[in-house]
Amino acid sequence: MRLFDIIPTNFFSILSSKNKEVYAMALEVLYKSLETEEMTIKKQDFLRILKENATDLVMSLDMSEEGTEDDALANPTLPSRAAFILRRLEETGWIDVQIDPESFEEYIILPSYSIKMLACLKDINSESEAAYNSLVHSTYSELKLEDDDPDDLMYVTLLRAYENTKKLRIELVTLGHQIKIYQHRLSNLFTTNEVLANHFDDYKVRISDRLYHPLKTFDSVTRFKRPITSILQKWLRDEKTRKMLIEQSLILRKSRDYGKAEADLINMINYIQDMYEQLNGMISQIDASHSEYTKSSASKIVYFNNNDKTIKGHLETIFKAYAKANADAMAGNGSKDLRNILTSMQDALMFHEQGYIDPDSITLPIIRQYREIGEPLPIVNNFEEAGDLIMQNFLDQTRNVFTSARVLEFMERAFGDADEVRAEEIPLPDYDAFILLILATLNRNDDDCFYEVDYSDDGHVLSQGYVLPKLVFKRKEKTE
C-alpha cells in the first residue's frame, strides 16, 4: 500500500505554508492534550489552551496566505482565529471532530497515523533532551537474569534482545550519519565563534556526550559482546533450554509447526551473534569519523586564529566572504547573483605569470639514476635450513607489528572467562588473527605466557576457512 492511500494528500500542507510556525505550535498543544487526557479531548478545552498559551502566535496568523473565504477574515479575533486553526487541522486530516449523541459535546479524535506523526515531531523537537537508551547493557542484563533463573518469559526476553539488537544497529548507523553531517557543516562556517558554537554547544551536547560517550564507556559493545554471545550459545546448545524456548514460541504465536519455530529460534540467535560481531566494525568507522571531525574543527579554529592582515590574509578574507555568499545563495538566504562580487575581485586583483624560452625548452630534462650495490642473498642448499630461514624472516617481519603484548591480549580475549579453549573455538575474522594464533602457539614457552598448549596427532580441523591442528590452550595454574 502506498503512503497517500493511508494519509490525506494535503496532510503536510500546513507544515509547508507561511503559517507553519502557528500550526506547529497547535500540533504541539494537541500532543500535550493527548498526553494529559485519558481517552477524550474536548474541543472547547483544546481551543481554550490554544488561546491561553499562544495568544501572540495565534494572532500572527496570516489569513491572506490561506486563500479562503472564512469568518476569521471578517472577524479576526482570537476565538475566530483559534477556531480557524482547528478547522484547518480537520481539513488536512490531522484530527476528526465527533459529537457525543447524549451530551452533544464535541470531542477531538485522532487517526493512528496522526498520533504517530505527532510523536515523531515531539521526538525530533526534544532530541537533545532525550535520555540515552542503554540497549547493550539492558540486553545483557535481561539475558543474564533469565539465564540464572529461567521462567515462562524466557522466549519473550530473547525476542526483546532481538529487537534491541536491530534498534542498536539503526542507532549506530544514525550516529555515523550525524557525525558526517556535522563534518560537512564545517565547510559553511566562516568564523571562529561559529566553529566553537557548532562544536561545544551543538555537537558535544547532542552527539558526543549523549550518544558517542556512552557507547565507549558504560554501554560498550566490546564489554558486553562476549557475555551476550556466550549466553545465547549456551541456550542453543542445551537441548532442554532449546525445547523450552520452542514451546514458549508455539504458545506465544499460537502455532503447532515445531520445525518452523525451531528454525526461527536458530535464525534469531544467529542474527544477534552475527550482528554483535559486525558492530565492532561499525563502531570503528564511527571512531574514525569522530576523530576526523574533531581534528577538522581544531584545524579550522587554528586557521582562523592565525589569519593575519598581510596580502595573503586579505585574499583569504575575500575568498571566505565569497564562499559565505555562495553558501547563503544555495540555501536561499541571500542573493543568487554573485556577479558583483566576482567583478569586484577581477577589477581589484591582476595576476600575471612570467616565463622564458631557451634552446632546451623543447627537450625533456635528463634524470640520471645510480644502481646501489647491495648484499647478495645467501645460497641455502639444505631444505631444512631454508625452512628455518623462511620462518625466521617471517618472525622478523612480524615482530614489530605482532608484539608479545598483542599476542597475550589476543589470547585473553579468546579465553574470556574460560580456563580452556580449543583452536577451532577461537574467532579468526581476518588474516591478522590467524597470524596471532600462530604466534600464540610458538610463544607458549615464554616466561610471561599464562597458558600452555596441548597437541594432538589425530588429524586436523577445518575452522573458518583455515586448516588447523588439534590444539587445546589451557590456563596455567597460579602458584602462590
Side-chain angles (χ1 to χ4, degrees):
M1 184 176 291
R2 294 177 295 182
L3 176 63
F4 289 100
D5 291 338
I6 302 174
I7 65 176
T9 55
N10 60 344
F11 184 73
F12 297 103
S13 61
I14 59 174
L15 297 179
S16 60
S17 67
K18 187 176 181 180
N19 297 313
K20 56 181 176 292
E21 292 290 342
V22 180
Y23 292 118
M25 174 273 305
L27 293 177
E28 183 178 353
V29 172
L30 184 62
Y31 186 76
K32 289 181 179 178
S33 301
L34 190 67
E35 288 181 319
T36 55
E37 299 292 339
E38 293 182 357
M39 289 296 294
T40 57
I41 302 175
K42 291 184 178 180
K43 175 182 175 181
Q44 293 304 320
D45 290 343
F46 173 73
L47 292 175
R48 175 179 53 80
I49 297 173
L50 202 61
K51 290 181 288 185
E52 291 177 354
N53 297 344
T55 303
D56 295 338
L57 202 56
V58 172
M59 290 302 296
S60 67
L61 184 71
D62 188 356
M63 302 303 300
S64 62
E65 173 69 14
E66 301 299 333
T68 179
E69 297 294 334
D70 197 275
D71 294 339
L73 288 173
N75 185 24
T77 61
L78 180 62
S80 63
R81 288 171 180 267
F84 177 80
I85 292 173
L86 187 139
R87 284 196 296 275
R88 284 291 293 151
L89 294 179
E90 184 179 4
E91 290 171 0
T92 52
W94 285 88
I95 63 172
D96 282 330
V97 178
Q98 185 181 49
I99 301 177
D100 188 346
E102 297 181 359
S103 63
F104 297 100
E105 185 79 31
E106 289 184 300
Y107 292 94
I108 294 176
I109 55 177
L110 286 81
S112 60
Y113 60 80
S114 179
I115 296 176
K116 293 177 182 178
M117 185 59 65
L118 290 174
C120 178
L121 295 175
K122 176 66 175 179
D123 290 341
I124 294 174
N125 195 35
S126 60
E127 181 181 357
S128 59
E129 302 174 0
Y132 176 75
N133 191 4
S134 181
L135 295 172
V136 182
H137 181 266
S138 61
T139 298
Y140 165 72
S141 301
E142 293 177 1
L143 290 176
K144 178 65 175 174
L145 183 64
E146 201 66 47
D147 185 57
D148 294 338
D149 186 17
D151 56 19
D152 294 339
L153 297 177
M154 198 172 189
Y155 182 75
V156 176
T157 302
L158 180 61
L159 273 178
R160 194 155 44 240
Y162 176 72
E163 294 298 329
N164 283 347
T165 304
K166 293 197 294 185
K167 290 180 182 177
L168 177 62
R169 182 183 180 278
I170 295 175
E171 290 288 339
L172 290 179
V173 171
T174 303
L175 176 58
H177 283 268
Q178 289 297 313
I179 294 176
K180 292 179 180 178
I181 285 176
Y182 277 92
Q183 186 173 2
H184 176 71
R185 191 180 297 174
L186 280 175
S187 60
N188 294 326
L189 303 179
F190 302 98
T191 65
T192 303
N193 289 337
E194 289 179 346
V195 178
L196 290 173
N198 181 72
H199 181 76
F200 290 102
D201 296 341
D202 200 358
Y203 178 82
K204 187 175 184 300
V205 174
R206 300 180 60 185
I207 303 298
S208 182
D209 292 347
R210 191 173 70 87
L211 298 175
Y212 181 75
H213 179 70
L215 281 173
K216 305 301 292 183
T217 53
F218 63 86
D219 205 37
S220 171
V221 173
T222 305
R223 178 182 176 187
F224 294 106
K225 179 183 74 173
R226 185 169 183 81
I228 290 174
T229 55
S230 297
I231 292 173
L232 294 175
Q233 288 175 1
K234 175 183 174 183
W235 289 6
L236 196 59
R237 289 196 301 263
D238 186 67
E239 184 176 355
K240 181 180 178 181
T241 305
R242 190 169 67 251
K243 287 183 177 180
M244 182 189 302
L245 288 168
I246 295 174
E247 291 173 357
Q248 293 179 10
S249 170
L250 294 174
I251 295 174
L252 184 64
R253 299 184 178 185
K254 297 180 181 180
S255 173
R256 296 182 180 180
D257 193 341
Y258 188 92
K260 186 177 184 302
E262 184 176 16
D264 291 342
L265 174 67
I266 294 174
N267 291 335
M268 196 183 306
I269 292 178
N270 287 338
Y271 174 84
I272 299 175
Q273 294 183 125
D274 293 343
M275 190 52 59
Y276 269 91
E277 291 296 333
Q278 298 175 19
L279 291 180
N280 280 335
M282 298 176 64
I283 293 177
S284 297
Q285 295 180 14
I286 292 174
D287 290 341
S289 298
H290 173 75
S291 177
E292 186 176 352
Y293 164 76
T294 305
K295 291 179 181 178
S296 299
S297 297
S299 299
K300 197 154 191 174
I301 292 173
V302 172
Y303 165 73
F304 287 148
N305 290 337
N306 293 337
N307 189 17
D308 56 16
K309 300 303 180 182
T310 61
I311 295 298
K312 176 177 178 291
H314 291 307
L315 289 175
E316 290 174 348
T317 302
I318 294 172
F319 292 144
K320 284 192 296 183
Y322 176 75
K324 188 175 187 307
N326 187 38
D328 292 341
M330 294 182 65
N333 300 326
S335 175
K336 294 184 179 180
D337 190 3
L338 300 175
R339 287 176 294 181
N340 293 333
I341 297 178
L342 294 175
T343 302
S344 300
M345 291 171 60
Q346 185 176 0
D347 293 341
L349 302 174
M350 299 297 292
F351 295 104
H352 301 279
E353 183 177 357
Q354 183 176 357
Y356 62 91
I357 299 177
D358 61 13
D360 296 328
S361 297
I362 60 174
T363 61
L364 295 174
I366 299 176
I367 301 176
R368 299 184 181 275
Q369 295 181 348
Y370 298 93
R371 179 180 299 176
E372 296 182 359
I373 300 176
E375 258 183 60
L377 294 175
I379 299 176
V380 180
N381 296 324
N382 193 311
F383 288 105
E384 185 175 346
E385 293 179 2
D388 294 340
L389 180 60
I390 293 173
M391 178 56 70
Q392 186 61 41
N393 288 336
F394 169 76
L395 295 177
D396 291 340
Q397 293 173 3
T398 58
R399 183 175 291 110
N400 294 331
V401 178
F402 303 96
T403 61
S404 297
R406 187 175 176 188
V407 174
L408 292 177
E409 182 184 355
F410 170 76
M411 291 306 298
E412 283 285 2
R413 290 198 305 270
F415 273 98
D417 298 332
D419 294 329
E420 178 179 313
V421 63
R422 298 181 180 277
E424 60 268 22
E425 297 174 350
I426 299 177
L428 301 175
D430 50 31
Y431 187 65
D432 287 355
F434 178 65
I435 295 177
L436 288 171
L437 178 61
I438 295 175
L439 295 177
T441 307
L442 297 175
N443 295 348
R444 67 187 184 280
N445 295 325
D446 291 352
D447 294 336
D448 56 349
C449 185
F450 66 90
Y451 57 88
E452 56 187 14
V453 185
D454 290 344
Y455 289 89
S456 175
D457 297 332
D458 187 16
H460 299 79
V461 292
L462 180 62
S463 175
Q464 305 168 66
Y466 299 99
V467 178
L468 305 176
K470 291 187 176 180
L471 305 176
V472 180
F473 297 86
K474 300 180 179 179
R475 288 185 183 271
K476 294 180 181 178
E477 296 183 359
K478 296 183 179 179
T479 58
E480 298 296 337

